[in-house]
């Protein structure tokens, strides 16, 4: 307890009571964020698919965003043959971004990606997609060789390198893909909650008003920073998915 501020335990920061239902099938604030993020992602596709020669307003914003993902991620990580994965990577980018951005939306103020279930599901879904793409491109045995065997190595080194490649690509890769998104958003959420609770407590504390501007300024600064983090983590998650797909279907190690 600092300056009379009682900071909530971690379980209370990321767990929310159900509006209805129970702990197994209930609907709470996090579930609503999932629904809003999915609806907003679908709205991007709907606006971007309008057949107007001169796009305006929201349609123009949607088209610019779609082109950003296609040109800045798909083409850079996979190449022209990756255009068929564009809808998937666009969906990843916008769904993760909208799930993140609710961290700074008043009243809601909860990033759905601060709960590990969503990042894990998306990472495992990407895992199935890029390994499936590799198997389809190279065949089952060809893909195993492509993924694990580094060309040009002396034969004896394969006994060391193949297990390392297996652990890296089939075990560690989805874990790191999950944790990178989850940990960044959880850390940002904890920081915002900490400084918001501190500012609220100092507001009702006479002498504490002297230092109130410091945590209050931190709340504003971290809110602006989390806006940037929401975008960057959506970009990084999508970029990595593109990199993994590109590596799986490439014919160069």
């Amino acid at each position: 307890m600092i300056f009379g501020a009682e900071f909530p335990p971690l379980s209370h920061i990321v767990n929310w009571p159900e509006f209805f239902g129970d702990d197994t099938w209930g609907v709470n604030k996090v579930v609503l964020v999932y629904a809003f993020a999915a609806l907003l992602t679908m709205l991007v596709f709907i606006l971007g698919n309008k057949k107007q020669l001169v796009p305006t307003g929201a349609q123009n914003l949607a088209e610019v965003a779609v082109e950003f993902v296609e040109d800045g991620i798909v083409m850079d990580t996979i190449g022209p043959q990756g255009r068929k994965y564009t809808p998937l990577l666009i969906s990843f980018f916008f769904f993760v971004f909208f799930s993140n951005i609710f961290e700074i939306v008043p009243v809601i103020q909860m990033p759905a990606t601060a709960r590990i279930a969503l990042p894990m599901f998306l990472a495992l879904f990407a895992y199935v997609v890029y390994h499936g793409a590799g198997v389809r491109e190279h065949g089952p045995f060809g893909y195993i060789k492509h993924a694990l065997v580094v060309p040009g190595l002396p034969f004896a080194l394969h006994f060391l390198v193949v297990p390392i490649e297996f652990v890296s690509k089939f075990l560690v890769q989805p874990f790191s893909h999950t944790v990178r998104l989850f940990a960044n958003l959880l850390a940002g959420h904890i920081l915002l909650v900490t400084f918001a609770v501190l500012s609220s407590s100092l507001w009702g504390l006479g002498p504490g008003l002297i230092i109130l501007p410091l945590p209050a300024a931190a709340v504003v600064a971290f809110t602006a920073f989390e806006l940037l983090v929401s975008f960057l983590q959506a970009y990084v998650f999508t970029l990595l998915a593109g990199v993994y797909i590109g590596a799986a279907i490439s014919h160069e190690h």
Side-chain angles (χ1 to χ4, degrees), residues 24-174:
T24 305
W25 297 104
V27 174
N28 57 20
K29 184 183 289 189
V30 177
V31 175
L32 290 181
V33 173
Y34 295 159
F36 287 139
L39 289 173
L40 290 170
T41 301
M42 288 188 283
L43 183 61
V44 170
F45 279 94
I46 292 170
L47 292 173
N49 198 41
K50 285 187 176 181
K51 304 300 182 182
Q52 293 182 359
L53 294 178
V54 182
T56 58
Q59 181 191 352
N60 187 53
L61 180 62
E63 288 191 4
V64 169
V66 169
E67 288 177 1
F68 165 76
V69 175
E70 184 173 55
D71 296 338
I73 297 179
V74 177
M75 297 301 292
D76 286 348
T77 59
I78 308 176
Q81 71 273 24
R83 290 187 185 276
K84 60 185 175 183
Y85 297 101
T86 297
L88 172 68
L89 295 179
I90 289 173
S91 299
F92 275 155
F93 176 81
F94 284 104
F95 184 71
V96 172
F97 174 73
F98 290 132
S99 296
N100 294 346
I101 203 65
F102 277 99
E103 178 179 14
I104 62 173
V105 173
V107 179
I108 297 180
Q109 294 173 307
M110 175 65 197
T113 44
R115 297 286 297 272
I116 197 169
L118 180 62
M120 182 183 296
F121 173 81
L122 294 176
L124 290 176
F125 185 79
Y127 180 85
V128 171
V129 169
Y130 57 74
H131 285 309
V135 170
R136 186 171 60 248
E137 183 72 22
H138 302 283
F141 296 107
Y143 178 62
I144 294 297
K145 179 181 177 182
H146 171 77
L148 302 182
V149 177
V150 178
L153 282 181
F155 178 77
L157 283 181
H158 289 302
F159 292 99
L160 174 64
V161 173
V162 168
I164 293 174
E165 290 289 311
F166 176 81
V167 171
S168 174
K169 293 184 178 177
F170 290 92
L171 300 179
V172 174
Q173 201 161 268

Side-chain angles (χ1 to χ4, degrees), residues 198-231:
L198 185 58
S199 299
S200 176
S201 298
L202 289 174
W203 179 257
L205 200 64
L209 286 175
I210 298 175
I211 61 172
L212 174 61
L214 297 178
V219 171
V220 174
F222 281 122
T223 298
F225 180 69
E226 287 305 307
L227 174 62
L228 177 62
V229 169
S230 296
F231 171 81

